[in-house]
Amino acid sequence: MKKKGWLVPLILLAALLCGTVSAQAASSGWQKSGDDWKWYDSSGSYVTNVWKKGGDNDWRYLNGDGVMATNAWVDNDDYYVDDDGKMLTNCFKQLPGYDDSANEYWYYFNSTGKVARDTWKKVDSKWYHLGDTGRVEYGWILENMYYTDENGVMVTGWQKLKDPDDDSTEDTKTNYPGDSTTNDENVHWYYFSSTGKKYVPLDVSDGDYGERKVDGKRYSFDTNGARQYGWVNIKGTSGVDQAITDYRYYNSDGSIRTGWYSLNPPEDLSSNYSADVVWFYFKSTGEPEAAEHADYYTKSDFVKINGNTYLFNSYGTPVYGLQKVYIGTYDGGKYTSFYFGKSSQCCVQKGKFNIKESDGTTYSYYFSETDGSGYTGTRDSYLYYLGKPQKANKDVKYEVISLPNNTASSAFTNYVVNTSGKLEKKTTVKDRDGVKLTSDSGGVLVKVDGESVESGGFYNAAVEPDYAGMEE
C-alpha cells in the first residue's frame, strides 16, 4: 500500500510529460532516466538549458545536466519552477532567494513566467515594489519618494515614519522603519498621495521649507517631505534679514495656524519682544499680520478683524495706547493720531478718553466717532489738535493757537484759549503781558490790542500728542 502512494503522482506526471513524444520518432520527447526526467531529440540526445512543454501544455526547464528542474531558480535566475517542474506564472510567491537560499522572499512572476524587477505590481488591490533582485522591497524606496510597510505594501495618506536619512533605517522586513521603538527625534509625519508618492514642497527656491495643501489644509514640509510644526521660516531668511512675515506657525497636527493666537515668538526673533508670550494674528494664508515698516505706521497698516480695527507693529504684535499714523504715504508727511486703548484692547477707540502722558499729566483726548482719528478743530467749546486738547500756558493765561487750515484762502485759523483749554468766544481777554485778544463767536481771533488781524497768520503752534504716553 505504501508503495502505491507515490506511484500515482509519478504515473500522472509521466502521462503529462510523455504526451509530447513525437509520432515520427518514438524515442524523442520526455523520457524517464532513473529518478529524473529528460527530454530527448530525434537523434536520441537529451537537451540542456532549454524550455520544453509537457503534455499539460506547461513549460518545464531542462538544466545544464539535461534534467528537468524542480523547486529551483532557472534560466539565469529569471524564472522559477515548482515541485512538478512547472514554470510559475501570474503569481505572487514567497520563495528562497536565488542568491540567498537560506531566507525566503516574496517575488512576482508575470504571464511569461519571468520574475518582475524594478517595477510596481498590484496584487489583491495592494501595490508592491519589486527591486532589481525581484524581491518585494520594504521601507523607504525609489530615492526615498515611496514607502512600503512591513508587509511590503505601498502606503498612502499620513504616515508617521522614521526619517529616510536616519542611519539606523534599513529596508528590510526585520528592521521595519515604522517600528514603535524608534527615537522620536528621528521620526516625522509624511504624506503620500493616492499614487504612493511622497509630498515634498513644490518650490523651495526661497528656503528649506515649503507648503502644500492636504484635504484643504495647509501644511509645511521640509525638502525630505517631513511635516513641520511650531514656528517655521518658510522664506529661509536669517540674521538681520529675518522678519516675522517670513514665518508661519503650524499646530501640533501640522496644520497652519490662522486667527488670534498667544504664544512664544520665534526663537531667532525673541530679542525683539518685551514678553515671553505675545499675541499674534495669522491671516488665512498663515502669514502674521505686521506693519511694513519698523519706524512708522501708515493707515494702510490697519487691519479690520471682527468689526474692530487693529494695528500691528513690524514684529507682529498688536499695538495699544496713543499712536502716530501717517495718512497716505510717509513721504507725504500728513499724519494724525489714533488711540488703541489699553493692552487688553489693542484696537481703535472712538470718542473721549483720559490719557496720561509721559510727564504724568492727564489730558482728555477726543477721537472721531467715525474713524477714530484724532480730532482737529473745536468741539464742546474746546480746541483739539490731532485729538489733544489745546491749552494756554499758565505763564501767559491766554494764548492764540494756530491750527492748519485746509482751505485755499488761508494757511491757519487762530483760536483764543485759556489755561483749561476752553475757547474764549466773542470776548476780549488780556494775557499776562497785557496784550488784549478779541475773538468772535467761534473763538477765532479777530483783533489784537483793538487792531483787526488778517486771517491765516501764524501765532503759536498747536501742541502735538505725546506718543510716548499711554493709558494703563
Side-chain angles (χ1 to χ4, degrees), residues 203-252:
D203 181 7
V204 291
S205 58
D206 293 329
D208 296 328
Y209 304 96
E211 287 187 341
R212 291 193 71 170
K213 278 189 175 182
V214 179
D215 296 331
K217 293 182 179 180
R218 299 165 72 98
Y219 297 86
S220 177
F221 301 89
D222 67 11
T223 52
N224 288 322
R227 191 178 78 187
Q228 304 299 299
Y229 62 93
W231 285 108
V232 176
N233 185 334
I234 65 170
K235 298 292 183 65
T237 52
S238 61
V240 296
D241 295 328
Q242 292 185 94
I244 190 63
T245 50
D246 297 336
Y247 285 80
R248 304 291 182 269
Y249 188 84
Y250 299 90
N251 301 311
S252 58

Side-chain angles (χ1 to χ4, degrees), residues 388-399:
K388 181 173 181 173
Q390 301 298 300
K391 300 178 181 181
N393 191 298
K394 291 181 180 179
D395 294 335
V396 296
K397 193 174 180 180
Y398 297 100
E399 194 169 353

Side-chain angles (χ1 to χ4, degrees), residues 242 265 268-275 313 315 317:
Q242 292 185 94
D268 290 345
L269 299 179
S270 59
S271 61
N272 300 310
Y273 300 84
S274 58
N313 63 25
Y315 297 111
T317 54

Side-chain angles (χ1 to χ4, degrees), residues 290-346:
E292 183 177 357
H293 303 282
D295 49 357
Y296 65 88
Y297 300 116
T298 67
K299 222 180 163 186
S300 61
D301 292 321
F302 282 10
V303 180
K304 198 149 191 176
I305 303 170
N306 296 329
N308 293 319
T309 301
Y310 298 85
L311 176 63
F312 297 82
N313 63 25
S314 60
Y315 297 111
T317 54
V319 303
Y320 60 95
L322 197 61
Q323 303 292 337
K324 182 178 182 179
V325 179
Y326 283 84
I327 309 299
T329 65
Y330 174 75
D331 294 338
K334 189 176 180 182
Y335 57 86
T336 186
S337 62
F338 283 87
Y339 182 56
F340 292 86
K342 300 179 181 181
S343 59
S344 59
Q345 296 170 303
C346 295

